Structure formats: structure tokens, C-alpha cells
Amino acid sequence: MREAILSVSGLTKRFGGVHALEKVDFDLHPGEVLALAGDNGAGKSTLIKTISGVHQPNEGEIRFRGRPVSFADPRAAREAGIETIYQDLALADNLDVGANVFLGREPMRRILGFLPALDRPRMASEAAKLIATLDIVLPRLDLPVRSLSGGQRQAVAIGRAVFWNAAVLIMDEPTAALGVPEQRKLVALIHSLRAADKAVIFISHNLADIFSVADRIMVLRRGRKAGERVAGETSGDEIVKLMVGSA
Ligand SMILES: Nc1ncnc2c1ncn2[C@@H]1O[C@H](COP(=O)(O)OP(=O)(O)O)[C@@H](O)[C@H]1O
Ligand SMILES: [Mg+2]
């Protein structure tokens, strides 16, 4: 087995008296999709927020690319190569696709040889190339992303992560707000991320979505790891039993 890109051990996070996460361990490898399943309140979002720097753990260790890491905030995690895509995406609604791909990392050029200015032509052409490689169909790239559908916005966020070479992509309930055709498209996009050797953590409480993308499934129950299964060696029935604690 290849070395893990992300390795979590003994991760514990409490909010006052609430044990949101208790000693959770897992490994994630390049080219692998790990689905995270669990009932509401099981700790799924807390786990990924603790990995991506939104929360600081009370105990435990996170290793990324073989080294212990501690991200002060999501921006630090993103710069290191861990990108999180939430339901409510961090896109700037009023900006177009190119501007969103480069948000916070805009390329500059010099006008008349000295005046610094945003390199808009470069942002637009890089965005067009990116959208084409990801096989995403967008009506136009020069309109504010506000005018895009949920699935298209999701695709822009994933595209941005790929463009900036994220090694780990974390998606928290990405299919929740999508219609069926867009869910299919997202599943296809996740398959292409895996083929490009990205590591993906995919959170969903939809078992059909989980089984359509996951290599492995980890189940959380009340903040603890209830079990982990190879997707091809388990069933929806077994995963539900792990979720509710009757396995
Ligand atoms: N910021 C927070 N402050 C206090 N309690 C929280 C906070 N975030 C989550 N929790 C609690 O931690 C537990 C796990 O929540 P969460 O990680 O959101 O679960 P999931 O994403 O699996 O539905 C719940 O009991 C929730 O109420
Ligand atoms: Mg959640």
C-alpha cells in the first residue's frame, strides 16, 4: 500500500460537555475516495472542520504528506493542499468564473510596463482551459457565478481546487442541494479526481451516493468511529447498522 497522504490518529474535539469527536483514527491515500457516513450529529462535519483548520483539536494528531500539521484556519489548510468544499460554497457570487478560480491569488500584470493591474485575460483563459479539462459545461464564463446552477457552482469550486493542485479534497454533503442530473455529474467529477490521483473525503447521508463513489466507507456514531469497510465488501444494510449501533 502506498503511503497515506493524510493520517489522523486519536482525534478528539469537545464543545463544552459535548464530545463531538472521540479518538478518531483513519488514513487516506492518493487516488482514494473515503466516504464518511453517520446520522445527524455523529461528528462528520466536526471531523472535517478539525482537519481543515476551522476547529483546533483537543487531542490527537493530523499528519499530512508524512508530517504533523496544525492549521490555524482553512486558508492555511488550503495553501498546504487540503481544500474543503462546503454546501454553501465559498464562491464570490458577484464575480465571474475566472475571478473565482483566482480568488485571493490573483495574477498581476504591468500596464504600460509599470502600473500593476489584475491580469484578467490570463484569469479568463486559464479558467476556460480548466473548465474544458474537467469536462464541465457552463453556458458562459464571463457572467457572475450567481447565475450558475448549484451543480455548476460546485464544479467551479472543485475546478479551483484542482487548478491550485489540492492533494486532498473534502466535500461536505455536496449532493444535498443538487438535482439528479447534477448529482450524476458530480459523481463523474469525483471519479476523474480519483483518476488524477487526488484523495477525496466525501460526506453524505445518501447511501446510493456513497456507494457510487466510495472506495472505503467510514461510519461515525456519536463522535466515535463505529467501523470502516471496503465499499465492495459491504452493503447498505451493514452501513446503516453501523450508523444506528445495531451491528
Ligand atoms: N460549534 C459547535 N459548538 C457546539 N457544539 C457543536 C458545534 N459543532 C458541532 N457541535 C455538536 O457536535 C456534535 C457533532 O456535530 P456535527 O459534527 O455537526 O455532526 P454531523 O455533521 O455528523 O451532523 C453535535 O452534537 C453538535 O451539536
Ligand atoms: Mg454535518
Side-chain angles (χ1 to χ4, degrees):
M1 191 82 184
R2 294 165 69 186
E3 207 188 320
I5 180 102
L6 182 72
S7 195
V8 164
S9 57
L11 205 66
T12 296
K13 177 67 188 173
R14 302 185 197 96
F15 297 104
V18 178
H19 292 224
L21 279 184
E22 271 293 302
K23 298 194 165 36
V24 171
D25 303 321
F26 74 90
D27 285 333
L28 180 68
H29 302 88
E32 182 179 50
V33 180
L34 174 70
L36 200 48
D39 217 342
N40 279 337
K44 305 181 296 297
S45 294
T46 302
L47 175 58
I48 59 133
K49 285 178 177 170
T50 307
I51 292 168
S52 65
V54 176
H55 299 313
Q56 304 305 315
N58 295 99
E59 290 162 35
E61 190 181 58
I62 301 166
R63 298 177 78 86
F64 179 57
R65 301 188 204 273
R67 295 212 180 90
V69 288
S70 165
F71 300 119
D73 54 35
R75 192 190 171 108
R78 186 178 306 136
E79 272 163 17
I82 299 177
E83 184 95 23
T84 308
I85 294 158
Y86 295 99
Q87 265 173 50
D88 44 354
L89 300 161
L91 296 181
D93 274 332
N94 53 321
L95 300 179
D96 68 19
V97 174
N100 267 286
V101 169
F102 286 95
L103 199 64
R105 300 183 264 208
E106 290 85 356
M108 303 300 282
R109 67 189 170 113
R110 305 256 164 203
I111 296 177
L112 303 174
F114 65 96
L115 281 177
L118 284 183
D119 192 348
R120 291 188 195 284
R122 174 153 169 240
M123 285 159 56
S125 72
E126 294 285 357
K129 263 191 270 172
L130 174 69
I131 297 304
T133 30
L134 287 175
D135 193 24
I136 304 167
V137 180
L138 297 181
R140 283 173 60 179
L141 297 180
D142 59 343
L143 294 177
V145 295
R146 179 192 306 121
S147 64
L148 301 179
S149 72
Q152 291 166 338
R153 295 164 53 83
Q154 202 91 243
V156 171
I158 294 170
R160 175 171 63 187
V162 170
F163 182 82
W164 292 103
N165 219 4
V168 174
L169 283 92
I170 302 175
M171 304 183 200
D172 194 351
E173 303 272 1
T175 55
L178 303 183
V180 172
E182 295 206 305
Q183 290 179 10
R184 292 222 178 93
K185 191 81 202 175
L186 183 69
V187 165
L189 204 47
I190 293 172
H191 284 291
S192 64
L193 292 173
R194 171 169 48 202
D197 225 22
K198 305 294 182 190
V200 178
I201 300 177
F202 176 86
I203 299 182
S204 179
H205 54 245
N206 182 327
L207 285 178
D209 285 350
I210 285 178
F211 277 96
S212 63
V213 294
D215 296 300
R216 274 188 299 140
I217 304 170
M218 174 164 101
V219 182
L220 289 179
R221 185 172 71 241
R222 294 198 201 150
R224 290 179 183 275
K225 182 166 167 177
E228 187 180 304
R229 297 288 185 273
V230 172
E233 298 171 1
T234 185
S235 63
D237 230 30
E238 188 184 25
I239 297 301
V240 170
K241 283 183 174 148
L242 288 169
M243 284 168 61
V244 301
S246 62

